[in-house]
Amino acid sequence: MFRVNDYVNIDGKEYLVSKFLGQGGMGNVFLIEDKMNDSRFALKTLQYYIPDDNNHRSLINEWEKARKIFHKNTIRYYGFHDGLSEPKTPYLLMEYANSGSLEQFLKNQNCFLDEDTCLEIFHQIINGMEAVNEVLIHRDIKPDNIFIDNGIFKIADFGLAKIAEEKTRSKTFKGWGTEPYIAPEAYRAETNTIQMDMYSIGHVFYQIATLKHAFGEQNNWEHAHLTFIPPLPNKLNSNISPKVAFVINKLIAKKPANRYKT
């Protein structure tokens, strides 16, 4: 396991583990710095490493999927080590985003964003998702998986990604997604389509527009996704036009056929 102030050798270059950035569902993320030129990267490792367990396979999946995606609105992945040889810690080497996550950004807002600001964020996320969906279905879009680097919003975390037309994982799998953002059809283990990602994006957009989740806090997220109808975003934030509210509402439609086709 890596710790702050450790040194790690990657492809013949030595890096200093300079800062702990955060903890996700399966791993820790550190900031590392190249000793020679001060370049900085994010290093993602597993909290608990057991070869070929669900988390290890998810990390491998993230690398195999993410390395095929190149776009300014997605996090770039540079390297991977499976942990089966020295060092005995698997890791991903990724682009470092210097301004944290969209989740943190939204928590720091003291008042509603204006529509132009919302649209600028929406467009960047859409641009990134177009690149992602050319390759795969992400299946875990949420504010915590969207990062900001010098004002550019970037999608990350492809550990649960699947190829379109494959079936979803079982709910018993530890990393099945994040409940507040899971599409209704995923609860029914239906075939993966980009409409699943659209649904998650719609909830992210709703949260950007209103600074809260469309369904508030829930004890039974499955019931909420299958049955609840939230108020239109423009009813909560008067800065949002009915036209934009309609788009968000269409993205979070219960039936995939009622969402956008592309």
Side-chain angles (χ1 to χ4, degrees), residues 40-59:
R40 302 192 294 175
F41 300 91
L43 188 76
K44 181 176 183 177
T45 71
L46 297 179
Q47 290 174 259
Y48 307 103
Y49 170 43
I50 301 173
D52 203 38
D53 74 348
N54 284 337
N55 287 339
H56 188 225
R57 290 197 299 273
S58 181
L59 197 76

Side-chain angles (χ1 to χ4, degrees), residues 135-149:
V135 178
L136 51 85
I137 311 301
H138 189 290
R139 300 179 70 247
D140 198 21
I141 293 294
K142 58 184 178 180
D144 232 9
N145 283 342
I146 298 170
F147 293 88
I148 310 168
D149 184 60

Side-chain angles (χ1 to χ4, degrees), residues 48 86 96 129 139 181 209 235:
Y48 307 103
E86 291 296 335
Y96 170 62
M129 282 308 304
R139 300 179 70 247
Y181 305 94
K235 300 299 182 183

Side-chain angles (χ1 to χ4, degrees), residues 61 129 132-133 136-142 145 157 159-163 166-170 173 175-178 181-182 186 190 192-193 196-197 200:
N61 186 62
M129 282 308 304
V132 170
N133 286 155
L136 51 85
I137 311 301
H138 189 290
R139 300 179 70 247
D140 198 21
I141 293 294
K142 58 184 178 180
N145 283 342
D157 204 333
L160 305 186
K162 297 276 275 187
I163 301 300
E166 290 182 358
K167 290 286 188 179
T168 62
R169 286 186 174 102
S170 164
F173 180 69
W176 183 61
T178 305
Y181 305 94
I182 293 174
E190 294 177 4
N192 291 286
T193 68
M196 284 184 174
D197 280 349
S200 302

Side-chain angles (χ1 to χ4, degrees), residues 32 144 262:
I32 65 171
D144 232 9
T262 65

Side-chain angles (χ1 to χ4, degrees), residues 39-256:
S39 58
R40 302 192 294 175
F41 300 91
L43 188 76
K44 181 176 183 177
T45 71
L46 297 179
Q47 290 174 259
Y48 307 103
Y49 170 43
I50 301 173
D52 203 38
D53 74 348
N54 284 337
N55 287 339
H56 188 225
R57 290 197 299 273
S58 181
L59 197 76
I60 294 170
N61 186 62
E62 182 166 4
W63 166 246
E64 290 179 344
K65 300 294 190 294
R67 66 178 176 171
K68 301 173 184 176
I69 300 168
F70 301 94
H71 193 276
K72 73 173 185 178
N73 294 117
T74 63
I75 289 289
R76 179 80 182 273
Y77 284 64
Y78 295 106
F80 171 70
H81 175 65
D82 62 15
L84 299 177
S85 58
E86 291 296 335
K88 295 291 186 178
T89 301
Y91 61 76
L92 284 166
L93 185 67
M94 306 180 296
E95 176 184 3
Y96 170 62
N98 61 21
S99 300
S101 70
L102 175 60
E103 178 82 11
Q104 295 164 333
F105 172 83
L106 294 176
K107 285 180 178 178
N108 290 336
Q109 302 307 308
N110 297 316
C111 59
F112 290 129
L113 300 173
D114 61 65
E115 183 164 279
D116 286 345
T117 301
C118 290
L119 288 174
E120 174 58 30
I121 300 171
F122 295 172
H123 290 154
Q124 291 194 47
I125 294 172
I126 289 167
N127 289 341
M129 282 308 304
E130 284 183 336
V132 170
N133 286 155
E134 286 180 2
V135 178
L136 51 85
I137 311 301
H138 189 290
R139 300 179 70 247
D140 198 21
I141 293 294
K142 58 184 178 180
D144 232 9
N145 283 342
I146 298 170
F147 293 88
I148 310 168
D149 184 60
N150 295 320
I152 305 298
F153 289 77
K154 296 174 177 280
I155 297 162
D157 204 333
F158 299 89
L160 305 186
K162 297 276 275 187
I163 301 300
E165 308 308 325
E166 290 182 358
K167 290 286 188 179
T168 62
R169 286 186 174 102
S170 164
K171 276 194 287 188
T172 58
F173 180 69
K174 182 179 178 183
W176 183 61
T178 305
E179 286 193 296
Y181 305 94
I182 293 174
E185 63 270 25
Y187 285 96
R188 299 187 290 266
E190 294 177 4
T191 301
N192 291 286
T193 68
I194 65 169
Q195 280 69 37
M196 284 184 174
D197 280 349
M198 285 184 186
Y199 183 86
S200 302
I201 289 169
H203 276 284
V204 171
F205 286 1
Y206 193 105
Q207 202 165 336
I208 293 168
T210 68
L211 301 182
K212 69 175 188 177
H213 193 280
F215 302 145
E217 297 293 329
Q218 295 296 324
N219 293 320
N220 187 338
W221 282 104
E222 180 174 359
H223 179 70
H225 287 298
L226 293 174
T227 64
F228 286 11
I229 304 298
L232 288 168
N234 58 315
K235 300 299 182 183
L236 302 178
N237 178 2
S238 60
N239 296 329
I240 302 299
S241 67
K243 180 179 179 180
V244 171
F246 173 83
V247 171
I248 295 172
N249 210 43
K250 188 172 176 69
L251 286 167
I252 60 175
K254 302 296 184 189
K255 296 180 179 180

